[in-house]
Amino acid sequence: MTLIKKVKENLIHYNLWKSVQEHDSKVLSGFPPSKLIIDDEDNQEEWVVPKLMTDKDFSIEEIESWFVQIEKISTKRPARITIGLVNDDATIVYYFIHDGIVKPRQN
Amino acid sequence: MEKVFLPVVGDKVLIFELEDVKKLRHLGIVGVLSGTLSAAPQQNVFLGLPLQLSLEDVIWLVTNEHGILIDSAKYHEVEAAMLNQADWNSSQRICVHDPKQDEELLKKLAKMNLSDDKLILKKKQLQENKVENFIIIPNVTPLPNIDSYTIPLDKFLSLSNHHELISNYQVYRSVKDQGFFILPGIRFGGKYIGYPNDPLRYHAHFIINQATDFKLIDLVAGGRLATGVKKVWVIVGEHSTPDSPKKVEGKKRDAVEVDVDQTEPQPDIVDQLTKESKLKSFSIEWAGFG
């Protein structure tokens, strides 16, 4: 199974996200069952970028390119994206990457 | 505001004047208290003056014209040479050696039942360590002939070893110029820690790292630790377009003697430090699901 499919299946069946969609075989969008952060809007669309833990090619340029790519897809630069990190032991972990320097969340 | 005197002692900037500590605080420079009590140097829970500034603090202060580097030893020579009899007579500024203290120490020694050899040795040590009359000289009074005891920034930077100073300073500056207070970050496993304002009033919000050469496992480890202590893990780095020239890192220098006159300045380091840089920053935290 491809990297993006692994994360997509995990979001749908394990984390119970709805309307998960692939974009350009690189980025996923979808709606989590409940708000991820208290201050989020109701039914906020989330953007997830899959990435292999073993991938050594990782830089600030790449993060910036994800924001640019998602801006092209959704016409708006998102305030944050989520990175879905796939390990070779079938673990998938998710981390937020916020644009700029933001305060830590309160919840 | 008058420039704050930044006395260079050895290869460090140490602030001994409380008024200067206050002025720096208003500029968002906190520093690290480093002084112990001379009677109990192992007591290091509550440290006091002097305040030690980081290289980045010093560079920011000097390049923004808030501070001026002075050679502490030379400054004191200049001031001592200017003293007149009235100063010598002013009891506030002069500590006079008290012979009574010597007598008491000798009495104590006599009671210790030491062998003759040891007694002679102890007396010799006492003589050698005797504190002669000395004067307390404030660190802040501007003296005439200021050029004779100031140090240019490049000379100061050539006094110590530093690693990736230019890129680190650009990270520091980009965070500081957004209004945050910055302290050394090793306590939370980062390069810097960032506060939304004075650290006496706020908890740290950010663990800040330079975004060169980091791996995904660093993102996971840093992000997870930061979230666990209610912080975010911030990476700051240059976002270079493919055709932009690779930036030149400052030459690493070997440790050099403290004597300022014998070190040659690094001609372009100040230019490199002050040149404009467009940095990108991203804040990472655990998403809380998955």
Side-chain angles (χ1 to χ4, degrees), chain B residues 104-175:
Chain B
E104 275 170 30
L105 279 169
L106 285 172
K107 272 185 203 161
K108 269 190 193 166
L109 273 181
K111 282 184 195 159
M112 284 166 78
N113 272 334
L114 297 167
S115 68
D116 283 355
D117 283 358
K118 272 198 174 160
L119 197 62
I120 290 168
L121 189 72
K122 285 272 179 197
K123 279 183 180 168
K124 206 178 150 198
Q125 282 175 350
L126 200 66
Q127 192 63 30
E128 278 168 1
N129 295 338
K130 199 164 94 176
V131 181
E132 301 290 350
N133 299 350
F134 66 90
I135 330 150
I136 300 168
I137 299 178
N139 289 288
V140 286
T141 328
L143 301 174
N145 218 348
I146 191 162
D147 290 338
S148 66
Y149 55 86
T150 53
I151 305 181
L153 184 59
D154 52 357
K155 262 196 179 176
F156 167 70
L157 292 173
S158 71
L159 294 176
S160 58
N161 267 324
H162 30 73
H163 181 61
E164 297 186 335
L165 180 66
I166 291 161
S167 48
N168 277 333
Y169 177 67
Q170 281 168 353
V171 171
Y172 172 98
R173 186 180 61 184
S174 88
V175 177

Coordinates of all heavy atoms in Angstrom, one line a residue, chain B residues 104-175:
Chain B
E104 N 43.9 38.5 64.7 CA 43.0 37.4 65.1 C 43.3 36.1 64.4 O 43.3 35.1 65.0 CB 41.5 37.9 64.8 CG 40.9 38.7 65.9 CD 39.6 39.3 65.5 OE1 38.9 38.7 64.7 OE2 39.3 40.4 66.0
L105 N 43.7 36.2 63.1 CA 44.0 35.0 62.4 C 45.2 34.3 63.0 O 45.3 33.1 63.2 CB 44.2 35.3 60.9 CG 43.0 35.4 60.1 CD1 43.3 36.0 58.7 CD2 42.3 34.0 59.9
L106 N 46.2 35.2 63.4 CA 47.5 34.6 64.0 C 47.1 33.9 65.3 O 47.7 32.9 65.6 CB 48.5 35.7 64.2 CG 49.2 36.2 62.9 CD1 50.0 37.4 63.1 CD2 50.0 35.1 62.3
K107 N 46.2 34.5 66.1 CA 45.8 33.9 67.4 C 45.2 32.6 67.1 O 45.5 31.6 67.8 CB 44.8 34.9 68.1 CG 45.5 35.9 69.0 CD 44.4 36.7 69.7 CE 44.9 38.0 70.2 NZ 43.8 38.9 70.5
K108 N 44.3 32.5 66.1 CA 43.7 31.2 65.8 C 44.7 30.2 65.4 O 44.6 29.0 65.9 CB 42.7 31.4 64.6 CG 41.3 31.8 65.0 CD 40.4 31.7 63.8 CE 39.1 32.4 64.1 NZ 38.3 32.6 62.9
L109 N 45.7 30.6 64.6 CA 46.7 29.7 64.2 C 47.5 29.1 65.4 O 47.8 27.9 65.5 CB 47.7 30.4 63.3 CG 47.4 30.4 61.8 CD1 48.5 31.1 61.0 CD2 47.2 29.0 61.2
A110 N 47.8 30.0 66.3 CA 48.5 29.6 67.5 C 47.8 28.5 68.3 O 48.4 27.6 68.9 CB 48.8 30.8 68.4
K111 N 46.5 28.6 68.3 CA 45.6 27.7 69.1 C 45.6 26.3 68.4 O 45.1 25.4 69.0 CB 44.2 28.2 69.3 CG 44.1 29.3 70.3 CD 42.7 29.7 70.5 CE 42.6 31.0 71.3 NZ 41.3 31.6 71.1
M112 N 46.0 26.2 67.1 CA 45.7 25.0 66.4 C 46.8 23.9 66.6 O 46.7 22.8 66.0 CB 45.6 25.3 64.9 CG 44.3 25.9 64.5 SD 44.3 26.6 62.8 CE 44.2 25.2 61.8
N113 N 47.8 24.2 67.4 CA 48.8 23.2 67.7 C 49.5 22.6 66.5 O 49.6 21.4 66.4 CB 48.2 22.1 68.5 CG 48.3 22.4 70.0 OD1 49.1 23.2 70.4 ND2 47.3 21.8 70.8
L114 N 49.9 23.5 65.6 CA 50.5 23.0 64.3 C 52.0 22.7 64.6 O 52.6 23.4 65.5 CB 50.3 24.0 63.2 CG 48.8 24.2 62.8 CD1 48.8 25.4 61.9 CD2 48.3 23.0 62.1
S115 N 52.6 21.9 63.7 CA 54.0 21.7 63.8 C 54.7 23.0 63.3 O 54.0 23.8 62.6 CB 54.4 20.5 63.0 OG 54.2 20.8 61.6
D116 N 55.9 23.2 63.6 CA 56.6 24.4 63.3 C 56.6 24.7 61.8 O 56.3 25.8 61.3 CB 58.1 24.4 63.7 CG 58.1 24.7 65.2 OD1 57.1 25.0 65.8 OD2 59.2 24.6 65.8
D117 N 56.9 23.6 61.0 CA 56.9 23.7 59.6 C 55.6 24.2 59.0 O 55.5 25.1 58.2 CB 57.2 22.3 58.9 CG 58.7 22.0 59.0 OD1 59.4 22.8 59.6 OD2 59.0 20.9 58.6
K118 N 54.5 23.6 59.5 CA 53.2 24.0 59.0 C 52.8 25.4 59.4 O 52.2 26.1 58.7 CB 52.1 23.0 59.6 CG 51.9 21.8 58.7 CD 50.7 21.1 59.1 CE 50.4 19.9 58.1 NZ 49.4 19.0 58.7
L119 N 53.3 25.8 60.6 CA 52.9 27.1 61.1 C 53.6 28.1 60.2 O 53.0 29.1 59.8 CB 53.4 27.2 62.6 CG 52.8 28.4 63.3 CD1 51.3 28.3 63.4 CD2 53.5 28.5 64.7
I120 N 54.9 27.9 59.9 CA 55.6 28.8 59.0 C 54.9 28.9 57.6 O 54.7 30.0 57.1 CB 57.1 28.4 58.8 CG1 57.8 28.6 60.1 CG2 57.7 29.2 57.7 CD1 59.1 27.9 60.2
L121 N 54.5 27.7 57.1 CA 53.8 27.7 55.8 C 52.5 28.5 55.9 O 52.2 29.3 55.0 CB 53.5 26.3 55.5 CG 53.0 26.1 54.1 CD1 54.1 26.3 53.0 CD2 52.4 24.6 53.9
K122 N 51.7 28.3 57.0 CA 50.4 29.0 57.1 C 50.6 30.5 57.2 O 49.9 31.3 56.6 CB 49.7 28.5 58.4 CG 49.1 27.1 58.2 CD 47.7 27.2 57.6 CE 47.1 25.8 57.5 NZ 45.9 25.8 56.6
K123 N 51.7 30.9 58.0 CA 51.9 32.3 58.1 C 52.3 32.9 56.8 O 51.9 34.1 56.4 CB 53.0 32.6 59.1 CG 52.5 32.5 60.6 CD 53.6 32.8 61.5 CE 53.1 32.8 63.0 NZ 54.2 32.8 64.0
K124 N 53.1 32.1 56.0 CA 53.5 32.6 54.7 C 52.3 32.8 53.8 O 52.1 33.8 53.1 CB 54.5 31.6 54.1 CG 55.4 32.2 53.0 CD 56.4 31.2 52.5 CE 56.8 31.5 51.1 NZ 57.4 30.3 50.4
Q125 N 51.4 31.8 53.8 CA 50.2 31.9 53.0 C 49.3 33.1 53.4 O 48.8 33.8 52.5 CB 49.3 30.7 53.2 CG 49.8 29.5 52.4 CD 49.0 28.2 52.7 OE1 48.2 28.2 53.6 NE2 49.3 27.2 51.9
L126 N 49.3 33.3 54.7 CA 48.5 34.5 55.2 C 49.1 35.8 54.6 O 48.3 36.7 54.2 CB 48.6 34.5 56.7 CG 47.5 35.3 57.5 CD1 46.2 34.6 57.3 CD2 47.8 35.3 59.0
Q127 N 50.4 35.9 54.6 CA 51.0 37.1 54.1 C 50.7 37.3 52.7 O 50.4 38.4 52.2 CB 52.6 36.9 54.4 CG 53.3 38.2 54.2 CD 52.9 39.3 55.2 OE1 52.5 39.0 56.3 NE2 53.0 40.5 54.7
E128 N 50.8 36.1 51.9 CA 50.6 36.2 50.5 C 49.2 36.6 50.1 O 48.9 37.3 49.2 CB 50.9 34.9 49.8 CG 52.4 34.7 49.6 CD 52.7 33.3 49.2 OE1 51.8 32.4 49.1 OE2 53.9 33.0 49.0
N129 N 48.2 36.1 50.9 CA 46.8 36.4 50.6 C 46.3 37.7 51.2 O 45.1 38.0 51.1 CB 45.9 35.2 51.1 CG 46.2 33.9 50.4 OD1 46.8 34.0 49.3 ND2 45.9 32.8 51.0
K130 N 47.2 38.4 51.9 CA 46.7 39.6 52.6 C 46.1 40.6 51.6 O 46.6 40.8 50.5 CB 47.9 40.3 53.2 CG 47.6 41.2 54.3 CD 48.7 41.5 55.2 CE 49.4 42.8 54.7 NZ 50.5 43.2 55.6
V131 N 45.0 41.1 52.0 CA 44.3 42.1 51.1 C 44.8 43.5 51.4 O 44.6 43.9 52.6 CB 42.7 42.0 51.3 CG1 42.0 43.0 50.4 CG2 42.3 40.6 51.1
E132 N 45.3 44.1 50.5 CA 45.8 45.4 50.7 C 44.6 46.4 50.5 O 43.5 46.0 50.1 CB 46.9 45.8 49.7 CG 48.1 44.9 49.7 CD 48.9 45.1 51.0 OE1 48.7 46.1 51.8 OE2 49.8 44.3 51.3
N133 N 44.9 47.7 50.8 CA 43.9 48.7 50.6 C 43.4 48.6 49.1 O 44.2 48.4 48.2 CB 44.4 50.1 50.8 CG 45.0 50.2 52.2 OD1 44.7 49.3 53.1 ND2 45.7 51.3 52.4
F134 N 42.1 48.7 49.0 CA 41.6 48.7 47.6 C 40.4 49.7 47.5 O 39.8 50.1 48.5 CB 41.2 47.4 47.0 CG 40.1 46.7 47.7 CD1 38.8 46.9 47.3 CD2 40.3 45.9 48.8 CE1 37.7 46.2 47.9 CE2 39.2 45.2 49.4 CZ 37.9 45.4 49.0
I135 N 40.1 50.1 46.3 CA 39.1 51.1 46.0 C 37.9 50.4 45.3 O 38.2 49.6 44.4 CB 39.6 52.2 45.1 CG1 41.0 52.5 45.3 CG2 38.7 53.4 45.4 CD1 41.7 53.0 44.1
I136 N 36.7 50.7 45.6 CA 35.6 50.3 44.9 C 35.3 51.3 43.7 O 35.1 52.4 44.0 CB 34.3 50.1 45.8 CG1 34.6 49.1 46.9 CG2 33.1 49.7 44.9 CD1 33.6 49.2 48.0
I137 N 35.4 50.8 42.5 CA 35.2 51.7 41.4 C 33.9 51.3 40.7 O 33.7 50.1 40.3 CB 36.4 51.6 40.4 CG1 37.7 52.0 41.0 CG2 36.1 52.4 39.1 CD1 38.9 51.9 40.2
P138 N 33.0 52.2 40.5 CA 31.8 51.8 39.8 C 32.0 51.5 38.4 O 33.0 52.0 37.8 CB 30.9 53.1 40.0 CG 31.8 54.2 40.3 CD 33.0 53.6 41.0
N139 N 31.2 50.7 37.8 CA 31.5 50.2 36.4 C 30.8 51.1 35.4 O 30.9 50.8 34.2 CB 30.9 48.8 36.2 CG 31.7 47.8 37.0 OD1 32.9 47.5 36.6 ND2 31.2 47.3 38.1
V140 N 30.1 52.1 35.8 CA 29.2 52.8 34.9 C 29.5 54.2 34.5 O 29.0 54.7 33.5 CB 27.7 52.7 35.4 CG1 27.1 51.3 35.2 CG2 27.6 53.2 36.8
T141 N 30.3 54.8 35.3 CA 30.6 56.3 35.1 C 31.4 56.4 33.8 O 32.4 55.8 33.6 CB 31.4 56.9 36.2 OG1 31.1 56.2 37.4 CG2 31.3 58.3 36.3
P142 N 30.8 57.2 32.8 CA 31.6 57.4 31.6 C 32.8 58.2 31.9 O 32.7 59.2 32.6 CB 30.6 58.1 30.7 CG 29.3 58.0 31.3 CD 29.5 57.8 32.8
L143 N 33.9 57.8 31.4 CA 35.2 58.6 31.7 C 35.6 59.3 30.4 O 35.2 58.8 29.3 CB 36.3 57.6 32.1 CG 36.1 56.9 33.4 CD1 37.2 55.9 33.6 CD2 36.0 57.8 34.6
P144 N 36.4 60.3 30.5 CA 36.9 60.9 29.2 C 37.7 59.9 28.5 O 38.1 58.9 29.1 CB 37.7 62.1 29.7 CG 37.9 61.9 31.1 CD 36.8 61.0 31.6
N145 N 38.0 60.2 27.2 CA 38.9 59.3 26.5 C 38.3 57.9 26.3 O 39.0 56.9 26.5 CB 40.3 59.2 27.2 CG 41.4 59.2 26.3 OD1 41.2 59.0 25.1 ND2 42.6 59.3 26.8
I146 N 37.1 57.9 26.0 CA 36.3 56.6 26.0 C 36.9 55.6 25.0 O 36.9 54.4 25.2 CB 34.8 56.9 25.7 CG1 34.0 55.6 25.9 CG2 34.6 57.4 24.3 CD1 32.5 55.9 26.1
D147 N 37.5 56.1 23.9 CA 38.1 55.2 22.9 C 39.2 54.3 23.5 O 39.5 53.2 23.0 CB 38.7 55.9 21.7 CG 37.5 56.5 20.9 OD1 36.4 56.0 21.0 OD2 37.8 57.5 20.2
S148 N 39.8 54.7 24.6 CA 41.0 54.0 25.1 C 40.5 52.7 25.8 O 41.3 51.8 26.1 CB 41.8 54.8 26.1 OG 41.0 55.1 27.2
Y149 N 39.2 52.6 26.1 CA 38.8 51.4 26.8 C 37.6 50.7 26.2 O 37.0 49.8 26.8 CB 38.6 51.6 28.3 CG 37.6 52.7 28.6 CD1 36.3 52.5 28.7 CD2 38.1 54.0 28.9 CE1 35.4 53.5 29.0 CE2 37.2 55.0 29.1 CZ 35.8 54.8 29.2 OH 35.0 55.8 29.4
T150 N 37.1 51.1 25.0 CA 36.0 50.4 24.4 C 36.6 49.3 23.5 O 37.7 49.3 23.1 CB 35.2 51.3 23.5 OG1 36.0 52.0 22.6 CG2 34.4 52.3 24.4
I151 N 35.8 48.3 23.3 CA 36.2 47.2 22.4 C 35.2 47.1 21.3 O 34.0 47.1 21.5 CB 36.1 45.8 23.2 CG1 37.0 45.9 24.4 CG2 36.6 44.7 22.3 CD1 37.0 44.6 25.2
P152 N 35.6 47.1 20.0 CA 34.7 46.9 18.9 C 34.1 45.4 18.9 O 34.8 44.5 19.5 CB 35.5 47.1 17.7 CG 37.0 47.2 18.1 CD 37.0 47.2 19.6
L153 N 32.9 45.3 18.4 CA 32.3 44.0 18.5 C 33.1 42.9 17.8 O 33.1 41.8 18.4 CB 30.9 44.1 17.8 CG 30.0 42.9 17.8 CD1 29.7 42.5 19.3 CD2 28.7 43.1 17.1
D154 N 33.7 43.1 16.7 CA 34.4 42.0 16.1 C 35.6 41.5 16.9 O 35.9 40.3 17.0 CB 34.9 42.4 14.7 CG 35.7 43.7 14.6 OD1 35.8 44.4 15.7 OD2 36.2 44.1 13.6
K155 N 36.2 42.5 17.6 CA 37.3 42.1 18.5 C 36.8 41.2 19.7 O 37.4 40.2 20.1 CB 38.0 43.3 19.1 CG 39.3 43.6 18.4 CD 40.2 44.6 19.2 CE 41.5 44.8 18.4 NZ 42.3 45.8 19.1
F156 N 35.6 41.7 20.2 CA 35.0 40.9 21.3 C 34.7 39.5 20.8 O 35.0 38.5 21.5 CB 33.8 41.6 21.8 CG 32.9 40.7 22.7 CD1 33.4 40.4 24.0 CD2 31.7 40.2 22.3 CE1 32.6 39.6 24.8 CE2 30.9 39.4 23.1 CZ 31.4 39.1 24.4
L157 N 34.1 39.3 19.7 CA 33.7 38.0 19.2 C 34.9 37.1 18.9 O 34.9 35.9 19.0 CB 32.9 38.2 17.9 CG 31.5 38.8 18.1 CD1 30.8 39.1 16.8 CD2 30.7 38.0 19.0
S158 N 36.1 37.8 18.6 CA 37.3 36.9 18.3 C 37.9 36.4 19.6 O 38.8 35.6 19.6 CB 38.3 37.8 17.6 OG 38.9 38.7 18.4
L159 N 37.4 36.8 20.8 CA 37.9 36.3 22.1 C 37.5 34.9 22.4 O 38.2 34.2 23.1 CB 37.4 37.2 23.2 CG 37.9 38.7 23.2 CD1 37.3 39.5 24.3 CD2 39.4 38.7 23.3
S160 N 36.4 34.5 21.8 CA 35.9 33.1 22.2 C 35.6 32.3 21.0 O 35.4 32.8 19.9 CB 34.7 33.3 23.1 OG 33.7 34.0 22.4
N161 N 35.5 31.0 21.3 CA 35.1 30.0 20.3 C 33.6 30.1 20.1 O 32.9 30.2 21.1 CB 35.4 28.6 20.8 CG 36.8 28.2 20.3 OD1 37.2 28.5 19.2 ND2 37.5 27.5 21.2
H162 N 33.2 30.1 18.9 CA 31.7 29.9 18.7 C 31.4 29.1 17.5 O 32.2 29.1 16.5 CB 31.0 31.2 18.7 CG 31.8 32.3 18.1 ND1 32.1 32.4 16.8 CD2 32.5 33.4 18.7 CE1 32.8 33.5 16.6 NE2 33.1 34.1 17.7
H163 N 30.3 28.5 17.5 CA 29.9 27.5 16.5 C 28.6 28.0 15.9 O 27.7 28.3 16.6 CB 29.7 26.1 17.2 CG 29.4 25.1 16.2 ND1 30.2 24.7 15.2 CD2 28.3 24.3 16.1 CE1 29.6 23.7 14.5 NE2 28.5 23.4 15.0
E164 N 28.6 28.1 14.6 CA 27.4 28.6 13.9 C 26.8 29.9 14.4 O 25.6 30.0 14.5 CB 26.3 27.5 13.9 CG 26.8 26.2 13.2 CD 25.7 25.2 13.1 OE1 24.7 25.2 14.0 OE2 25.7 24.3 12.2
L165 N 27.7 30.8 14.8 CA 27.2 32.0 15.5 C 26.3 32.8 14.6 O 25.2 33.3 15.0 CB 28.4 32.8 16.0 CG 28.0 34.1 16.7 CD1 27.3 33.8 18.0 CD2 29.1 35.0 17.0
I166 N 26.6 33.0 13.3 CA 25.9 33.8 12.5 C 24.5 33.3 12.2 O 23.5 34.1 12.4 CB 26.6 34.0 11.1 CG1 27.9 34.8 11.4 CG2 25.8 34.7 10.1 CD1 28.9 34.7 10.3
S167 N 24.4 32.0 11.9 CA 23.0 31.5 11.7 C 22.2 31.4 13.0 O 21.0 31.7 13.0 CB 23.1 30.1 11.0 OG 24.0 29.3 11.7
N168 N 22.9 31.1 14.1 CA 22.2 31.1 15.4 C 21.7 32.5 15.7 O 20.6 32.7 16.2 CB 23.1 30.7 16.5 CG 23.2 29.2 16.7 OD1 22.3 28.5 16.3 ND2 24.3 28.7 17.2
Y169 N 22.6 33.5 15.5 CA 22.1 34.9 15.8 C 21.0 35.4 15.0 O 20.1 36.1 15.4 CB 23.3 35.9 15.7 CG 22.9 37.3 15.9 CD1 22.5 37.7 17.2 CD2 22.7 38.2 14.9 CE1 22.0 39.0 17.5 CE2 22.3 39.5 15.2 CZ 21.9 39.9 16.5 OH 21.4 41.1 16.7
Q170 N 20.9 34.9 13.7 CA 19.8 35.3 12.9 C 18.5 34.7 13.4 O 17.5 35.4 13.3 CB 20.1 34.9 11.4 CG 21.0 36.0 10.8 CD 21.6 35.5 9.4 OE1 21.4 34.4 9.0 NE2 22.3 36.5 8.8
V171 N 18.6 33.5 13.9 CA 17.4 32.9 14.5 C 17.0 33.7 15.8 O 15.8 34.1 15.9 CB 17.7 31.4 14.9 CG1 16.6 30.9 15.8 CG2 17.9 30.6 13.7
Y172 N 18.0 34.0 16.6 CA 17.8 34.8 17.8 C 17.1 36.1 17.5 O 16.1 36.5 18.0 CB 19.1 35.0 18.5 CG 19.1 36.0 19.7 CD1 19.0 35.5 21.0 CD2 19.2 37.4 19.5 CE1 19.1 36.4 22.1 CE2 19.2 38.2 20.5 CZ 19.1 37.8 21.8 OH 19.1 38.6 22.9
R173 N 17.7 36.8 16.5 CA 17.2 38.1 16.1 C 15.7 38.1 15.6 O 14.9 38.9 15.9 CB 18.1 38.8 15.1 CG 17.7 40.2 14.8 CD 18.7 40.8 13.8 NE 18.6 40.1 12.5 CZ 19.4 40.3 11.5 NH1 20.3 41.3 11.6 NH2 19.3 39.6 10.4
S174 N 15.5 37.1 14.8 CA 14.2 37.0 14.2 C 13.1 36.7 15.2 O 12.0 37.2 15.1 CB 14.1 35.9 13.0 OG 13.8 34.7 13.6
V175 N 13.4 36.0 16.3 CA 12.5 35.8 17.3 C 12.4 37.0 18.3 O 11.3 37.4 18.6 CB 12.9 34.5 18.2 CG1 11.9 34.3 19.3 CG2 12.9 33.3 17.3

